[in-house]
Amino acid sequence: MKMNWANVRLVLRREVKDQLRDRRTLFTMLVLPLLLYPLLGATFVQISQFMQEHPTRIRVLGAADLPVAPKLLDGERFDAAVCSESINRLLELTIDETVPADVQARGVREVAEQEIRAGKFDAVVYVPPSFGEQLDRFREQLVEYRQRNATEDFELQVPEPEIFVNSASDKSRIAYDRVNEILRGWREGIVRENLVKSNIPAAATEPFKLTGIDVSEEVRRRAAIWSKILPFVVLIWALTGAFQPAVDMCAGEKERGTLETLLSSPVRRVEIVWGKMLTVMMFSLGTAVLNLLSMGATGTFIMGQMENLATVSPTMQFGPPPVAAMCWLLLALVPAAALFSALSLAIAAFARSSKEGQYYLMPLLLVTLPLMLLPMLPAAELDMGTSLMPITGLMLLLPTPMAAQYAEAGLYALPVVGVTMLGCLLSIRWAIDQFNNESVLFRESEQWSLRLWFQHVLKTRQATPTFAAAMLCGILILLIRFFGGFVFPTVTSWGQMAWVTTFSQLVMIVVPAVGLTYLLTRSPRQTLLLAMPKPLSLPAAVLLAIFLHPAFLWMGEGIKHVYPISEDALTQLEPLSAALASASLWSVLLVIAVVPAICEELAFRGFILSGLRSAGHRWRALVISSFLFGITHSILQQSISAFVVGLVIGYIAMQTGSILPGMLYHFTHNALAVLLSRLTPEHLGEYPFLRAFFRAAADGQAILYDWGTVFLSAAAAAILLYWLRSHQPRPAVATQPESHAAVQVT
Amino acid sequence: MINVQNLTKSYADLRRGEFVALDSISFTASPGEIFGLLGPNGAGKTSALRILSTMLRPSRGTVSVCGFDVVDDAEEVRRRIGFVSNNTAVYDRMTAWEMVEYFGRLHGLQQAELQDRMHAIFTRLQMDEIRDVLGAKMSTGMKQKVSIARALVHDPPVLIFDEATSGLDVLVARSLLKTVSDLRDHGKCIIFSTHIMREAERLCDHVAIMHHGRILANGLLAELHQQYQEDDLEELFFQLLSHHDELPLSPTG
């Protein structure tokens, strides 16, 4: 598309100036980040200081029953031997030598519960009656036991002291932690003393120490921690920073009536979109960077404060994010901001008013948030699959250069950048389409009701479905299959499997497709390609399926090599394979080859492909229909193969203008798979002619196509495809004038 | 200069189904002439003018402005028109001067030429006091002046005013009519849509009366008076409309 960049620059400059004069934008972009993090930080410091400094009140019940040695209490406080001065200072003890009568009457637990809840105390320590005496008796017995060199076990119950805590209250939990640590230390003292009395050195309790050594460099450790948190925060701000200006620049301008002014000037709509998109991107970047800086500065300051407090555990001290990590993050921010900006712009262009625009932020967040959250899962890793997911791939790629794993980063940088760029371009295209769409630009609120809309759809339906109807059908099939998966029982026998497969093909694939055909189109014949093709195309389709099968099988092996099927999936598939092997060949061919060939073709090459083609782009329709066909296969490895097979069958359907050759191809393809699974290396021995085409697989279980077969048949397939290229479909029998209109509808 | 032939515009509408906003209308307008497009609200005036200014595409028929087709050479058409309507607002967060300058730039004017022309326009429309006032702070009259200045900045041969006087007080409306008639005297081709008959009577050379997407009458003002034996345009307009509404609805194509 021709574009005058001078105009784009003009639009960009005006929009930037306009936004900078808008108080709302300035607030979200500048003021909010500058205030937010220092405020949050200050609160955090306050809270942590409070947690550190705040004295806790502890009631000790029955102190008289404590043993004489080792001492736990020293007057009104814990003994210096069990509690350091700094902690002692934070503890306010209320000591009852004996348990008061009223407490005894109501029960210690109830009193403790009530007093903690009422805030009188944060924790209550209860020393049971005769605890000290029992402990002393335990020690005496221990000594005696030692003296008589006894070997039998001995038992003596020492009553257990109790600490009452309300874990729903932070203060109470802190009190518990402090008291618990003191009491443990005190108990260890008793253990050591006992050992000494039994003539065992105290070192016996700890013959060796376990030491964990962190081998990571300090900088990398910091990078690793920051790389989990920062990208998420920065991307969220990039999205928020993009959305507000986008709504103001599109929906806002519509509302204020200035869009029409702009449209009446010579500037082209594509230039307007680019100018606005670059503005949105600047604000998206600006918001994200300012947030990053403010957060970094606040973070560094807080970390400093926390280190001064010196009571924080060492893992908490991770310091400011490394500079290199920040640079990588900024670099990755650019494509992410571009993607968000283009998306926001397209959505905002659709809205009639700023208010309506704001409503669309939530759905946008709902779609993008999972993509941003996924990389934060501990198990998330950068691989071929995740690198192809927009945003997710980018966020997973980020930690690698941040933690300086350049080799890995290089490997996946290309798919990640490719997917992000594609996303940007598609979003910009979408935004431009919106700006070229009269009904979007000059949309006025009209009375909308489901009934009216439905009547409208029925009234305006064409011979073949629209693009949207085709997508609806695809999504419907996916959803029905997804939820249907929960309904169907796991199959254990061939009978069940045959029934489930046939039923699900009919109900989940044919019913939606044929139902929508009758509901949304006027010519089921044209929609489902129910026409006789030229006779030669039928054997051609069968031959093509035979010739391409070796190559597909080889491709399938390749896919399994790159993406190995998980053990779980294999175990799940096992009963199925067993059931398949036990059934008669004819029944298997019927269920696995005939049924899907008819059902899936009607849906994917019939309704869906016809609908997608009505948008005009032949190849785009082919790719999308194959993609939908692919993802209805539940296992990833199958999906990839099915996608490629879908491309071939779709091409056949488009070239022949009939559903039949595709059905024959599909049948042949599936039938060959069934037949091949029945062949074993023994057959190769029995029937020598088979050896011309096949070889035994390395595991000796199955047989594979010979390499020569693969290449020769692929060559033959290429010739057939070339022949198909020049193949013209027979003119449709019942061509209606509307069919032309249908092609133009977008 | 402006040539509209069998222009039809229809929208898909949920309630009404296919809604025909313009039903095969034709008219021409020449330089040095004010062509009045008269009609009640909803007659299709705005749709027609939006098509003239290339914002909407015709469903059928051809429209050319200065010899350029509004579909094939939309950009060339926009270079040659100045469009002022109720729906072409001014930017709230830009001053009058910035606004006019921006559109001058979009029309590809060079700095020196642009400055000269802007000074001339601001003086002519007496806009020097509001030069640095933000759009948000302007009164309706001021905004209308800025819109006219914006439409004139590239000195287009064709000017389109769509209900330009609505919402203006008497004084501002009068001065706008004065400006429009001055522009005619400078040889511009002007399309002026209104539902106020007095304005049309004072201003237009040529009028077309629209109703329900059709042109009911089209001709020089004097010719129409003669043809319908009616000296008062408002009366003429009213008779035409009520006559049309009484007719049994002929099937539309």
Side-chain angles (χ1 to χ4, degrees):
Chain A
M1 224 176 290
K2 218 168 65 172
M3 245 204 318
N4 181 352
W5 283 98
N7 278 348
V8 174
R9 208 163 42 235
L10 274 173
V11 174
L12 169 69
R13 271 186 30 203
R14 194 210 80 80
E15 296 291 357
V16 170
K17 204 193 249 177
D18 194 79
Q19 286 301 314
L20 287 178
R21 285 179 183 173
D22 183 14
R23 255 175 280 161
R24 286 167 305 171
T25 318
L26 283 187
F27 181 77
T28 359
M29 199 183 91
L30 259 169
V31 184
L32 201 62
L34 290 183
L35 287 181
L36 182 70
Y37 298 102
L39 268 177
L40 275 179
T43 320
F44 182 67
V45 169
Q46 289 281 320
I47 290 173
S48 56
Q49 272 173 353
F50 167 81
M51 307 263 274
Q52 300 297 329
E53 302 284 319
H54 197 81
T56 45
R57 281 162 302 172
I58 292 156
R59 182 174 193 186
V60 181
L61 286 170
D65 284 315
L66 284 169
V68 186
K71 259 166 74 174
L72 177 65
L73 296 173
D74 179 17
E76 285 293 296
R77 48 197 331 217
F78 283 110
D79 192 84
V82 291
C83 181
S84 70
E85 177 55 33
S86 59
I87 302 282
N88 234 337
R89 210 155 30 87
L90 296 174
L91 299 171
E92 260 174 39
L93 295 190
T94 306
I95 297 171
D96 291 280
E97 286 299 324
T98 55
V99 182
D102 63 312
V103 176
Q104 243 160 7
R106 287 165 54 207
V108 179
R109 189 195 155 100
E110 204 190 311
V111 173
E113 191 183 325
Q114 202 180 18
E115 288 184 338
I116 295 173
R117 187 165 297 152
K120 270 176 83 181
F121 298 102
D122 299 317
V124 174
V125 178
Y126 168 64
V127 182
S130 71
F131 172 71
E133 278 170 39
Q134 293 281 32
L135 190 68
D136 286 340
R137 274 190 54 206
F138 177 84
R139 287 160 156 178
E140 283 160 20
Q141 284 200 356
L142 206 63
V143 173
E144 178 210 359
Y145 182 80
R146 169 92 186 122
Q147 280 164 353
R148 60 184 170 88
N149 279 328
T151 48
E152 82 274 2
D153 214 358
F154 79 95
E155 266 177 54
L156 187 85
Q157 286 291 322
V158 179
E160 294 162 12
E162 281 157 343
I163 310 174
F164 292 94
V165 57
N166 173 9
S167 65
S169 141
D170 286 338
K171 274 176 80 178
S172 181
R173 257 202 331 268
I174 294 169
Y176 173 79
D177 288 344
R178 286 173 180 164
V179 173
N180 192 35
E181 203 171 317
I182 293 167
L183 290 184
R184 275 170 184 278
W186 175 63
R187 191 182 64 181
E188 272 168 32
I190 296 173
V191 170
R192 268 196 303 275
E193 211 169 278
N194 290 348
L195 290 175
V196 172
K197 281 188 181 157
S198 316
N199 295 337
I200 301 172
T205 51
E206 202 175 35
F208 54 85
K209 280 187 176 161
L210 278 174
T211 317
I213 298 165
D214 192 345
V215 293
S216 61
E217 294 161 34
E218 197 260 347
V219 176
R220 292 212 179 176
R221 202 156 58 233
R222 277 194 281 146
I225 295 169
W226 282 110
S227 67
K228 282 271 179 200
I229 313 167
L230 278 187
F232 179 72
V233 179
V234 168
L235 287 190
I236 284 281
W237 278 112
L239 183 59
T240 324
F243 202 78
Q244 301 300 341
V247 167
D248 187 62
M249 267 180 238
C250 294
E253 273 213 35
K254 263 195 224 178
E255 204 171 36
R256 296 188 292 266
T258 47
L259 191 63
E260 210 166 317
T261 319
L262 187 59
L263 291 177
S264 71
S265 79
V267 63
R268 288 194 198 90
R269 295 184 188 184
V270 55
E271 293 159 358
I272 299 178
V273 172
W274 272 98
K276 284 181 185 286
M277 139 87 191
L278 291 175
T279 314
V280 174
M281 196 176 149
M282 277 181 60
F283 281 90
S284 166
L285 281 173
T287 310
V289 168
L290 276 174
N291 273 283
L292 187 64
L293 289 181
S294 175
M295 196 166 72
T298 314
T300 313
F301 175 74
I302 304 252
M303 291 307 152
Q305 290 279 305
M306 301 288 278
E307 267 167 43
N308 289 346
L309 287 173
T311 39
V312 189
S313 65
T315 47
M316 278 290 289
Q317 301 171 348
F318 49 87
V323 177
M326 296 283 254
C327 292
W328 279 110
L329 184 56
L330 290 180
L331 189 69
L333 182 60
V334 177
L339 183 58
F340 288 152
S341 306
L343 260 181
S344 306
L345 201 68
I347 292 173
F350 183 74
R352 265 178 294 235
S353 63
S354 322
K355 193 177 158 208
E356 187 183 331
Q358 299 295 346
Y359 287 139
Y360 298 143
L361 178 62
M362 196 40 107
L364 181 64
L365 274 176
L366 279 181
V367 174
T368 44
L369 262 185
L371 293 176
M372 295 191 218
L373 285 170
L374 188 68
M376 296 179 75
L377 296 178
E381 264 189 4
L382 187 63
D383 56 32
M384 214 37 171
T386 48
S387 71
L388 289 177
M389 294 167 81
I391 307 297
T392 304
L394 193 65
M395 282 180 77
L396 282 171
L397 181 67
L398 213 49
T400 40
M402 271 175 114
Q405 293 154 303
Y406 295 106
E408 202 187 340
L411 189 61
Y412 293 111
L414 205 65
V416 170
V417 171
V419 164
T420 314
M421 293 250 301
L422 188 72
C424 285
L425 287 178
L426 285 179
S427 307
I428 292 176
R429 257 304 280 280
W430 186 29
I432 294 173
D433 282 352
Q434 300 276 32
F435 267 85
N436 276 320
N437 189 335
E438 289 174 5
S439 61
V440 169
L441 281 186
F442 299 101
R443 214 150 66 101
E444 275 151 24
S445 352
E446 55 183 342
Q447 207 175 0
W448 196 91
S449 78
L450 194 64
R451 193 176 57 85
L452 276 178
W453 175 77
F454 196 67
Q455 281 173 351
H456 173 78
V457 167
L458 287 188
K459 222 185 317 179
T460 55
R461 63 193 178 154
Q462 304 287 339
T464 55
T466 59
F467 187 87
M471 291 305 284
L472 172 76
C473 180
I475 292 167
L476 203 62
I477 290 177
L478 275 179
L479 284 178
I480 298 177
R481 281 190 70 103
F482 178 73
F483 289 110
F486 297 112
V487 179
F488 283 119
T490 25
V491 292
T492 45
S493 69
W494 168 245
Q496 272 181 330
M497 186 180 165
W499 189 86
V500 167
T501 308
T502 311
F503 184 78
S504 63
Q505 285 274 333
L506 281 175
V507 171
M508 298 174 174
I509 294 176
V510 172
V511 169
V514 174
L516 287 178
T517 303
Y518 278 94
L519 200 64
L520 300 178
T521 75
R522 278 194 279 113
S523 169
R525 275 183 80 101
Q526 263 176 276
T527 302
L528 301 177
L529 302 177
L530 304 178
M532 269 314 279
K534 284 186 184 168
L536 259 186
S537 61
L538 295 173
V542 175
L543 277 179
L544 190 60
I546 295 173
F547 287 148
L548 276 178
H549 193 252
F552 274 131
L553 214 62
W554 175 71
M555 186 185 77
E557 290 299 318
I559 293 168
K560 274 187 221 161
H561 187 72
V562 180
Y563 296 105
I565 300 184
S566 69
E567 288 293 325
D568 279 354
L570 279 178
T571 352
Q572 275 178 6
L573 288 176
E574 228 159 62
L576 291 186
S577 333
L580 269 178
S582 67
S584 78
L585 183 61
W586 296 115
S587 65
V588 175
L589 280 180
L590 184 71
V591 173
I592 303 291
V594 177
V595 172
I598 295 171
C599 299
E600 289 176 2
E601 288 313 305
L602 280 176
F604 292 97
R605 259 60 67 178
F607 190 86
I608 292 179
L609 187 59
S610 296
L612 295 176
R613 280 174 72 187
S614 65
H617 304 266
R618 226 164 109 79
W619 297 109
R620 184 176 72 179
L622 184 60
V623 170
I624 299 177
S625 73
S626 307
F627 179 76
L628 288 171
F629 179 59
I631 51 177
T632 38
H633 293 73
S634 45
I635 300 172
L636 173 77
Q637 292 79 358
Q638 276 183 3
S639 295
I640 302 173
S641 301
F643 171 73
V644 185
V645 174
L647 287 176
V648 175
I649 307 185
Y651 182 70
I652 296 174
M654 291 202 303
Q655 289 303 103
T656 61
S658 161
I659 198 86
L660 285 178
M663 286 183 173
L664 277 178
Y665 183 103
H666 200 147
F667 165 77
T668 314
H669 179 90
N670 286 12
L672 281 173
V674 170
L675 290 176
L676 216 60
S677 70
R678 299 269 165 149
L679 283 179
T680 57
E682 286 86 72
H683 287 108
L684 291 187
E686 269 176 64
Y687 309 101
F689 74 92
L690 285 176
R691 266 178 273 163
F693 306 105
F694 299 104
R695 64 192 162 87
D699 61 1
Q701 296 286 317
I703 65 164
L704 295 174
Y705 282 106
D706 198 57
W707 283 114
T709 318
V710 175
F711 288 117
L712 283 178
S713 63
I719 295 169
L720 264 177
L721 280 171
Y722 184 78
W723 173 78
L724 208 61
R725 203 174 71 102
S726 53
H727 190 91
Q728 289 297 318
R730 242 151 95 130
V733 187
T735 315
Q736 292 166 342
E738 287 84 5
S739 65
H740 299 292
V743 178
Q744 286 162 7
V745 170
T746 50
Chain B
M1 182 123 301
I2 291 176
N3 192 358
V4 176
Q5 289 302 323
N6 302 319
L7 172 63
T8 298
K9 178 71 186 174
S10 50
Y11 308 97
D13 184 282
L14 273 191
R15 187 170 284 279
R16 294 174 285 189
E18 185 85 345
F19 172 67
V20 181
L22 293 174
D23 189 2
S24 195
I25 62 166
S26 303
F27 63 86
T28 54
S30 323
E33 165 181 279
I34 299 180
F35 184 93
L37 209 50
L38 314 185
N41 292 329
K45 303 184 300 272
T46 299
S47 291
L49 299 184
R50 275 180 175 163
I51 290 174
L52 271 179
S53 58
T54 79
M55 264 176 262
L56 294 178
R57 281 175 288 258
S59 303
R60 276 190 295 279
T62 54
V63 178
S64 70
V65 175
C66 303
F68 292 99
D69 187 85
V70 291
V71 177
D72 301 331
D73 296 305
E75 206 187 319
E76 293 303 320
V77 170
R78 288 201 298 273
R79 286 189 188 288
R80 286 166 181 77
I81 57 166
F83 185 60
V84 178
S85 102
N86 257 348
N87 304 311
T88 51
V90 299
Y91 288 111
D92 279 350
R93 299 188 285 259
M94 272 180 125
T95 66
W97 187 263
E98 286 170 335
M99 169 94 187
V100 178
E101 190 181 27
Y102 175 54
F103 279 90
R105 288 284 187 79
L106 287 178
H107 276 284
L109 294 179
Q110 293 308 309
Q111 189 63 23
E113 190 190 0
L114 179 59
Q115 293 295 325
D116 287 349
R117 197 168 287 169
M118 282 175 66
H119 279 296
I121 292 174
F122 271 64
T123 314
R124 184 163 135 208
L125 296 176
Q126 298 169 343
M127 286 169 58
D128 285 317
E129 308 109 79
I130 58 165
R131 209 187 122 125
D132 297 319
V133 177
L134 286 178
K137 308 262 180 209
M138 289 180 200
S139 68
T140 321
M142 292 176 186
K143 285 181 182 169
Q144 198 64 314
K145 277 187 177 176
V146 177
S147 287
I148 294 170
R150 185 262 305 155
L152 291 179
V153 68
H154 55 296
D155 196 21
V158 174
L159 281 154
I160 301 171
F161 293 91
D162 183 14
E163 304 267 359
T165 51
S166 77
L168 298 184
D169 66 41
V170 186
L171 289 176
V172 184
R174 268 184 87 96
S175 101
L176 183 127
L177 296 184
K178 173 83 173 54
T179 311
V180 174
S181 100
D182 284 353
L183 285 165
R184 180 227 347 242
D185 299 341
H186 281 85
K188 306 285 182 198
C189 170
I190 295 168
I191 305 255
F192 189 90
S193 97
T194 183
H195 61 272
I196 304 167
M197 294 307 129
R198 283 190 47 81
E199 282 181 1
E201 237 164 1
R202 280 188 45 191
L203 207 60
C204 301
D205 307 293
H206 202 134
V207 293
I209 296 176
M210 284 188 76
H211 189 42
H212 288 325
R214 296 181 183 181
I215 292 184
L216 304 183
N218 182 1
L220 290 173
L221 208 50
E223 284 173 7
L224 290 182
H225 285 312
Q226 204 171 22
Q227 190 185 340
Y228 292 93
Q229 301 289 312
E230 178 59 66
D231 284 344
D232 186 38
L233 186 60
E234 192 162 312
E235 197 55 39
L236 194 159
F237 177 80
F238 185 72
Q239 280 176 13
L240 265 176
L241 258 58
S242 39
H243 179 65
H244 180 266
D245 285 340
E246 280 162 17
L247 282 178
L249 279 177
S250 55
T252 52

